[in-house]
Amino acid sequence: MMASRVRKAVLPVAGLGTRFLPVTKAVPKEMLPICDRPGIELIVAEAVEAGLTELILVVARGKEAIVDYFHRSPALEAHLEATGKLELAREVRRVGELATVMTMRQEEALGLGHAVRTAAAAVGDDDFAVLLGDDVIDAAQPAIGQLLDVHAERGGCVVALMPVPPDQTNRYGVIGGERVGERLTHIAVMVEKPPPAEAPSNLSIVGRYVLPGRIMRILAQTKPGRGGEIQLTDALAVLAAEGQAWGLEFEGERFDTGNVLGLLRANLHYALKRPELADGVRALLQEFEGR
Ligand code: G1P
């Protein structure tokens, strides 16, 4: 069965950002910069490039800056234009016009599954994508686009996978299943953050998903799991048991920007890709070597 074209993407950005306290006391972690852009802009750009033009941000109190960032700021644009800063004016306007953005509020921090379920009224019955802000992926074809291609062929749910060192399975959703292609696995089981001894494999879920609309009904029935939270992985495990789940080891490099060192690593990577920054960054790296 050909799946219909997916247009909607849910971006859960309600997390407290405790690993970045104290800065996240006043600044959403998704607004922390990778060079001169908030990390979340790279995620939005990935979605838009893959044809996902209706974005649903799941926010919480204190996350208003993210919403403002993706809307227009006519007063700022007018000021920049009046003072002759036309290039900046264009850039500010471009960001505000990247996509159609809807906002839903998650009223309590009850887990990723609960955050996705918060978007139910905006998603309706449509199949949709989910992109998590901590996982920034640099790829020739957007990672979520690679998943959408699999979804168009197979339907069901498709998750992004990455092998991790066996002692790190307790940080991820982990899958077990049968490999059906060079990078594709037909998933049979999914477990949220299993200790290494209980992990079905070392293939772990990275924060990109394409989900069938009916996952919302499954999430409504999903009981709290690991950490007392409603886990998206537990809802997807229901689909896996029905043979309706696929995992793709995507092509591209993933950056975990959910911790300080990971964010720094992403900053170095993206700075080295910018011609006007690359030489300066190399000089800095040399200066700090051996300190
Ligand atoms: C979430 C998911 C987990 C997934 C991970 C990817 O965990 O629950 O299954 O592997 O994202 O980044 P979190 O990192 O939010 O604890």
Side-chain angles (χ1 to χ4, degrees), residues 22-207:
V23 64
T24 44
K25 193 180 163 202
V27 178
K29 72 170 171 179
E30 294 80 4
M31 294 302 291
L32 298 178
I34 295 179
C35 300
D36 44 15
R37 291 170 192 287
I40 190 69
E41 186 184 330
L42 275 64
I43 312 276
V44 165
E46 177 187 330
V48 170
E49 203 187 327
L52 300 163
T53 47
E54 293 173 44
L55 306 189
I56 301 147
L57 295 177
V58 179
V59 301
R61 180 174 299 278
K63 295 287 194 144
E64 293 77 15
I66 306 174
V67 180
D68 288 345
Y69 187 77
F70 292 109
H71 284 274
R72 296 273 309 277
S73 177
L76 175 60
E77 288 167 29
H79 174 77
L80 290 169
E81 273 159 17
T83 50
K85 297 179 176 124
L86 301 184
E87 189 61 38
L88 275 180
R90 261 196 299 276
E91 179 59 14
V92 164
R93 187 183 175 122
R94 182 194 64 80
V95 171
E97 291 178 334
L98 268 174
T100 305
V101 174
M102 278 188 67
T103 306
M104 306 295 279
R105 284 265 288 235
Q106 186 187 18
E107 302 291 357
E108 282 181 278
L110 297 179
L112 177 61
H114 179 262
V116 170
R117 163 103 181 119
T118 300
V123 167
D125 290 328
D126 295 342
D127 294 354
F128 63 103
V130 174
L131 295 92
L132 303 188
D134 282 352
D135 290 318
V136 170
I137 300 173
D138 191 10
Q141 182 194 0
I144 195 67
Q146 298 175 40
L147 267 58
L148 286 165
D149 286 350
V150 174
H151 179 260
E153 252 180 53
R154 312 253 175 181
C157 85
V158 185
V159 302
L161 294 178
M162 179 185 81
V164 301
D167 64 339
Q168 289 180 16
T169 56
N170 58 359
R171 300 187 198 170
Y172 300 94
V174 180
I175 67 102
E178 185 195 347
R179 196 174 276 278
V180 292
E182 197 193 333
R183 293 174 172 271
L184 192 64
T185 297
H186 191 188
I187 299 176
V189 291
M190 291 198 196
V191 195
E192 180 65 7
K193 304 200 170 92
E198 291 162 30
S201 78
N202 71 331
L203 278 182
S204 297
I205 302 173
V206 176

Side-chain angles (χ1 to χ4, degrees), residues 113-114 116-117 120 128 156-157 211-224 230-242 244-245:
H114 179 262
V116 170
R117 163 103 181 119
F128 63 103
C157 85
L211 304 177
R214 81 177 173 102
I215 200 69
M216 293 299 189
R217 292 194 294 279
I218 299 175
L219 278 168
Q221 310 286 324
T222 303
K223 302 270 175 295
I230 296 173
Q231 298 291 351
L232 181 59
T233 303
D234 293 344
L236 300 185
V238 174
L239 296 177
E242 294 173 3
Q244 291 293 312

